[in-house]
Amino acid sequence: MNWNYVHIVFRSLLVILIAILGLLSFYYLFSIAYPFIIALALAFLINPLVNIIEKRGKIPRSFAVFISLMAVFAIVAGVVTLLIVEIVSGTEYLAKVVPGHFETLVVFVEQFIVTKVLPFFNEITTMFHSLEEGQQQSVLTNIENMGASIATTVGEFIQSFLQNLPKLITWIPSFATVLIFSLLATFFISKDWYRHQHRLKRIIPAKGQESLTKVFLSLQKAFIGFLRAQATLISITTVIVLIGLLILRVEYAITVALIIGLVDLIPYLGTGLIFVPWIIFLAISGNLPLAIGLGVLYLIVIVQRQLMEPKILSSSIGLDPLATLVSLFIGFQLIGFLGLLVGPVTVVIFNTLYKAGVFNEIYAFIIGRNRTV
């Protein structure tokens, strides 16, 4: 028996076991300590700003952390306030024009029923009476089964909604609690950022520190690049929509463009959540020129998103455009909409580990070498 191969198999199984246990441990820790993981991520993001304020302002780090958190909170609150003001003003406008459009929709439905539905119903009735008694009974049975199925589905949906409504209400104080704990933890982690870093260096061996530093810096660059890419894509979508709405002379174009830009964050569906119902309503209500114009604008937004997303993501996070496109498709096929986010992130992590030499170290351990190959 070749014991060398036995050792290789044993070490391979050991690596796989450690990887699985690591993933399960991370999942378990995240489920019970996610406010502090969020706090760690926030502290990591604001650390450059804290360093700048601390050095240039020559103030204690705790004050620099506090100022940074307040600045970030003020920016977020300002953007949210601006959006709320725009949405409120847009809602007031909609409250004035929607009743007229609704009356137009009602008239259209009435005409559709009179001219299309009733004649079709008469034809179906005539055909039904021409059937034999057994065939009529079969049709009635199928209709009853369909009605019962629809009623059951609607009833289950309403029941599920009502049962989950209290959970939604109780989620609000839970969210506030998580937010408070995350902000407090962010303050303490960021205040002692370099002290925690020094403690980790004393625990981790020098070789491990070198690999972790490479992985950390690469992930930091990729993460910032990913955020920059998403911000770029959303900005491009918002600008294109704004220009299109201004050309079409749509009221409150800025409000609508900002809302569509935010909705563009939703994977796969994105801007279609706004454009598709809007276009359908305009077509039904008789405003065909605007419906066609919005349809063209929606097509332009979709095309530019599909063309720009792989290139911007690849240039921002350092991946090949083809690899980015493949990760988007495979992620969507495996886990749906969330996969459009998880796919590229997974590829970034594997690419980072590869560049940091982690896979080489693992391979060297498996085959029993003491040096990186």
Side-chain angles (χ1 to χ4, degrees):
M1 181 180 292
N2 192 335
W3 289 102
N4 185 39
Y5 288 115
V6 174
H7 291 157
I8 290 176
V9 172
F10 174 76
R11 285 191 289 264
S12 300
L13 293 175
L14 181 61
V15 169
I16 294 173
L17 179 62
I18 292 174
I20 294 174
L21 291 177
L23 291 174
L24 292 176
S25 300
F26 177 78
Y27 177 78
Y28 176 73
L29 288 174
F30 185 83
S31 64
I32 63 175
Y34 61 91
F36 303 100
I37 297 177
I38 293 173
L40 181 62
L42 289 175
F44 166 73
L45 290 175
I46 68 172
N47 190 57
L49 178 60
V50 173
N51 291 336
I52 293 174
I53 295 175
E54 181 186 13
K55 292 178 180 178
R56 294 187 179 181
K58 297 180 179 180
I59 59 176
R61 186 171 180 84
S62 57
F63 287 129
V65 174
F66 179 78
I67 293 172
S68 300
L69 286 174
M70 290 298 100
V72 172
F73 182 79
I75 292 173
V76 173
V79 172
V80 171
T81 302
L82 176 63
L83 289 175
I84 291 176
V85 170
E86 288 291 333
I87 290 172
V88 168
S89 60
T91 304
E92 292 177 353
Y93 167 76
L94 291 176
K96 296 177 182 178
V97 300
V98 164
H101 290 305
F102 185 74
E103 291 178 1
T104 304
L105 179 62
V106 170
V107 172
F108 174 81
V109 172
E110 291 176 350
Q111 292 177 349
F112 180 79
I113 292 174
V114 172
T115 58
K116 303 292 184 181
V117 176
L118 290 180
F120 178 74
F121 178 76
N122 292 331
E123 291 180 6
I124 293 296
T125 303
T126 303
M127 292 175 58
F128 177 77
H129 287 298
S130 65
L131 297 175
E132 298 178 358
E133 184 177 353
Q135 294 175 330
Q136 293 180 3
Q137 186 61 38
S138 177
V139 171
L140 291 175
T141 302
N142 290 329
I143 293 175
E144 290 175 358
N145 292 335
M146 184 184 300
S149 177
I150 295 173
T152 302
T153 303
V154 173
E156 290 177 352
F157 172 78
I158 296 174
Q159 182 181 8
S160 176
F161 176 78
L162 294 177
Q163 288 176 347
N164 291 321
L165 189 59
K167 296 180 181 179
L168 180 64
I169 296 174
T170 56
W171 175 81
I172 297 175
S174 176
F175 172 77
T177 303
V178 170
L179 180 62
I180 293 172
F181 272 93
S182 296
L183 290 177
L184 290 175
T186 301
F187 175 81
F188 290 115
I189 292 174
S190 183
K191 182 175 72 70
D192 299 323
W193 181 265
Y194 294 103
R195 184 183 302 175
H196 297 315
Q197 196 176 65
H198 180 68
R199 288 175 180 173
L200 285 175
K201 287 182 178 180
R202 288 191 300 176
I203 297 173
I204 302 173
K207 191 173 183 180
Q209 289 182 26
E210 183 180 354
S211 298
L212 283 177
T213 301
K214 290 180 181 179
V215 172
F216 180 79
L217 292 176
S218 299
L219 285 177
Q220 180 183 27
K221 181 180 178 182
F223 181 70
I224 294 174
F226 182 79
L227 293 179
R228 188 188 300 118
Q230 292 300 321
T232 302
L233 289 170
I234 293 171
S235 300
I236 292 174
T237 299
T238 303
V239 171
I240 292 176
V241 171
L242 178 60
I243 294 174
L245 294 181
L246 290 175
I247 294 175
L248 295 173
R249 296 182 181 180
V250 175
E251 295 286 344
Y252 292 94
I254 296 177
T255 303
V256 177
L258 289 174
I259 293 174
I260 292 176
L262 289 177
V263 172
D264 196 35
L265 283 169
I266 302 175
Y268 193 72
L269 295 177
T271 55
L273 287 175
I274 303 295
F275 273 113
V276 173
W278 193 4
I279 293 171
I280 293 174
F281 173 78
L282 290 173
I284 291 176
S285 60
N287 195 348
L288 287 178
L290 183 56
I292 295 172
L294 289 178
V296 173
L297 179 59
Y298 180 44
L299 183 62
I300 293 173
V301 170
I302 291 177
V303 171
Q304 72 83 21
R305 179 80 183 194
Q306 298 301 318
L307 293 177
M308 297 295 292
E309 185 170 14
K311 182 171 181 57
I312 291 177
L313 279 176
S314 62
S315 61
S316 299
I317 62 183
L319 290 180
D320 183 81
L322 180 60
T324 305
L325 188 62
V326 171
S327 68
L328 289 169
F329 180 77
I330 294 177
F332 175 72
Q333 292 295 321
L334 291 178
I335 56 176
F337 300 144
L338 187 61
L340 296 176
L341 177 64
V342 175
V345 171
T346 303
V347 175
V348 167
I349 293 174
F350 275 95
N351 186 54
T352 301
L353 295 176
Y354 173 76
K355 289 182 178 179
V358 174
F359 293 136
N360 286 338
E361 295 290 340
I362 293 174
Y363 178 73
F365 168 76
I366 290 175
I367 64 176
R369 294 182 183 177
N370 295 325
R371 62 182 181 83
T372 304
V373 292

